[in-house]
Amino acid sequence: MAPRGFPYPDLQSFLDALEAAGELRRVTVPVDPTLEISEVVTRTVREGGPALLFERPTRGSMPLAINLFGTEKRMAMALGVENLDEVGDRIGGMIKPELPVGWSGIREGIGKVLQLKSLPPRKVKTAPCQEVVLSGDEVDLGLLPGLQVWPGDGGIFHNFGLTHTKHPETGKRNLGLYRLQQHSKNTLGMHWQIHKDSTAHHAVAERLGQRLPVAIAIGCDPVVSYSASAPLPSDIDEYLFAGFLRGERVEMVDCLTVPLQVPAEAQIVLEGYLEPGERLPEGPFGDHTGFYTPVEPFPVLHIETMTMRKKPIYHSIITSQPPQEDHGLGKATERIFRPLLKMMIPDIVDYDLPSAGVFHNCAIVSIRKRYPKHAQKVMNAIWGAHSMAFTKLIVIVDEDCNVHDYNEVAFRALGNVDYSRDLLLTEGPVDHLDHASYQQFWGGKAGIDATRKLPSEGYSRGWPEEMAMSPEVVSLVDKRWKEYGI
């Protein structure tokens, strides 16, 4: 059953729902967006605390909402479900078994789901996000309570700006979530990484010698905000996906000065252009890896128009060593995309992406093992599966292992493995932000086969039987437990 008020039309209604559920606290005293807010939020996240609304940040002219997705409970509320598996189960129930296996199957699978529940965006003529319009010299990013999260950060960053671009030749829209460094009152550094779709759009624009229009929406409804982070294939529209998740169309409005559309219910919109060939140093930035990413040259957005609501609320997120707020976002993706990954690799029973591995460093996968080297086959399939290609460590366990119980996984991975035979080493692409690889963008990977070994794999000793108490004794002790006085 969806929470009351879902789908939330805007950020304010989601904050109201969180507050009614006891999941939001208001901070009424002045708090500094330079470092102080970061420390407050980090402590709150690590204690499993609530979402926060800082009503009087000492920079900017509006309140700041943060830690909205910091627990799986709040993430489920954001998506209108009791638990995150419900969304994946909906998708799995709609995918037809005759769809092809492999990456084309994932594209077709998502396409089929969205076709069955087609809820494309709806264009409107007027929008709350354009109640206030600032142009030219009036544009001032200082109105926003942007954050400096860590002492070594290169300045103020806007960490939850939903970035809109279009492919200059095909017109295909992309919605992405990238950090934005504030260079001046009207310029931002666009940290879109080498593997991202907007990077490809910018590369085409530069090849054609054209400016690239960009629109950034801050403070959207929670489903749209999540959809910007989802690892969708490039030919799947994020707003169609958001419409499916919401069960209702997303209202979009034309920007005032760039040929793009943005969510009508956003809090703030920044419109501008990237000039071909222009770069400025961006960073350093304390990222979700727990380390500072170094200074690199990135494109510069020149903001020509800034629109907002009359009473906007700024939305941001903290990045740090886990646990951090992105736990909820990462777990949502893990659960939502489970049926699609299983369609691509039918051998998979379940999987877990540990937040301590920042979701792309490690995957724990259970399989129903049927033949020699089955685990190694699955490892290689995962490394060929879209954004799963960035996974550095894959641990394969048998289907009777609960992949979400890390103690059980460790028991299998530490005890069931002969590392001279059951360890697969390879190389491949790694995340742009990975600091451990000796070369940027590619590095070493490992797969651990922690399954029971078969005679046909060269294991001739006979795999031992695991100890388990007899059901009769378990039942007896259950019945007598109170008698023991323990």
Side-chain angles (χ1 to χ4, degrees), residues 73-383:
K73 178 182 177 180
R74 286 201 295 280
M75 193 68 238
M77 284 185 65
L79 299 179
V81 294
E82 291 290 330
N83 66 75
L84 296 174
D85 277 310
E86 290 180 36
V87 183
D89 291 343
R90 279 173 57 201
I91 293 174
M94 295 180 196
I95 296 174
K96 297 188 177 181
E98 66 268 18
L99 287 172
V101 172
W103 180 233
S104 62
I106 278 203
R107 287 201 311 271
E108 284 197 41
I110 298 176
K112 284 280 188 183
V113 168
L114 299 183
Q115 185 178 16
L116 287 168
K117 295 287 185 180
S118 183
L119 292 167
R122 174 171 49 232
K123 181 180 175 181
V124 296
K125 293 183 179 179
T126 59
C129 70
Q130 295 175 346
E131 291 172 340
V132 177
V133 179
L134 304 174
S135 300
D137 290 340
E138 295 176 317
V139 172
D140 185 4
L141 293 172
L143 296 172
L144 310 180
L147 300 177
Q148 181 179 346
V149 175
W150 296 103
D153 283 355
I156 296 170
F157 287 81
H158 305 278
N159 295 335
F160 223 112
L162 277 55
T163 301
H164 300 71
T165 60
K166 277 187 179 180
H167 192 289
E169 294 177 326
T170 68
K172 175 65 182 173
R173 171 172 54 204
N174 182 67
L175 171 64
L177 182 60
Y178 317 111
R179 76 179 191 229
L180 308 162
Q181 182 172 0
Q182 186 170 315
H183 289 317
S184 71
K185 63 175 287 191
N186 62 353
T187 57
L188 290 170
M190 306 295 297
H191 188 276
W192 44 38
Q193 300 156 28
I194 189 172
H195 306 107
K196 304 297 185 180
D197 292 329
S198 289
T199 306
H201 291 184
H202 186 227
V204 173
E206 289 197 313
R207 175 171 55 81
L208 297 173
Q210 298 176 0
R211 298 197 302 171
L212 182 72
V214 176
I216 296 167
I218 299 173
C220 297
D221 80 73
V223 173
V224 168
S225 293
Y226 165 70
S227 298
S229 75
L232 294 168
S234 60
D235 54 352
I236 300 295
D237 185 87
E238 286 84 3
Y239 283 106
L240 200 60
F241 184 62
F244 164 75
L245 293 177
R246 297 173 88 244
E248 187 176 282
R249 296 182 179 191
V250 178
E251 292 189 344
M252 308 285 286
V253 68
D254 286 338
C255 291
L256 301 181
T257 54
V258 294
L260 296 166
Q261 292 183 341
V262 290
E265 298 288 345
Q267 305 294 306
I268 303 135
V269 177
L270 309 175
E271 305 177 10
Y273 290 89
L274 303 179
E275 297 292 341
E278 184 181 16
R279 303 286 191 279
L280 280 179
E282 194 273 355
F285 179 75
D287 223 308
H288 67 284
T289 60
F291 296 87
Y292 289 103
T293 51
V295 175
E296 293 184 84
F298 276 95
V300 181
L301 176 64
H302 296 265
I303 301 166
E304 298 187 350
T305 302
M306 183 176 183
T307 72
M308 64 182 74
R309 290 171 173 247
K310 289 180 181 177
K311 294 183 177 180
I313 297 174
Y314 180 83
H315 178 208
S316 194
I317 191 171
I318 297 297
T319 54
S320 77
Q321 176 182 337
Q324 196 45 268
E325 180 184 348
D326 58 2
H327 171 85
L329 296 166
K331 282 299 170 183
T333 292
E334 175 196 290
R335 296 293 90 194
I336 290 171
F337 285 83
R338 178 174 57 99
L340 297 165
L341 186 63
K342 290 176 67 173
M343 180 180 66
M344 185 176 183
I345 311 171
D347 320 70
I348 292 175
V349 174
D350 199 0
Y351 80 122
D352 184 278
L353 304 176
S355 60
V358 296
F359 296 104
H360 55 72
N361 282 341
C362 177
I364 302 165
V365 181
S366 60
I367 65 170
R368 188 171 295 112
K369 187 171 178 177
R370 295 187 292 111
Y371 49 79
K373 299 299 179 182
H374 195 168
Q376 286 78 359
K377 181 257 192 186
V378 172
M379 294 172 194
N380 285 298
I382 291 170
W383 281 319

Side-chain angles (χ1 to χ4, degrees), residues 381-421:
I382 291 170
W383 281 319
H386 193 38
S387 58
M388 295 293 287
F390 302 128
T391 308
K392 296 205 293 184
L393 174 65
I394 300 173
V395 181
I396 307 290
V397 295
D398 288 300
E399 64 178 313
D400 61 349
C401 178
N402 178 3
V403 294
H404 310 296
D405 183 339
Y406 298 154
N407 285 331
E408 186 177 355
V409 171
F411 174 74
R412 307 284 182 112
L414 300 176
N416 280 7
V417 179
D418 178 340
Y419 286 96
S420 67
R421 293 175 175 264

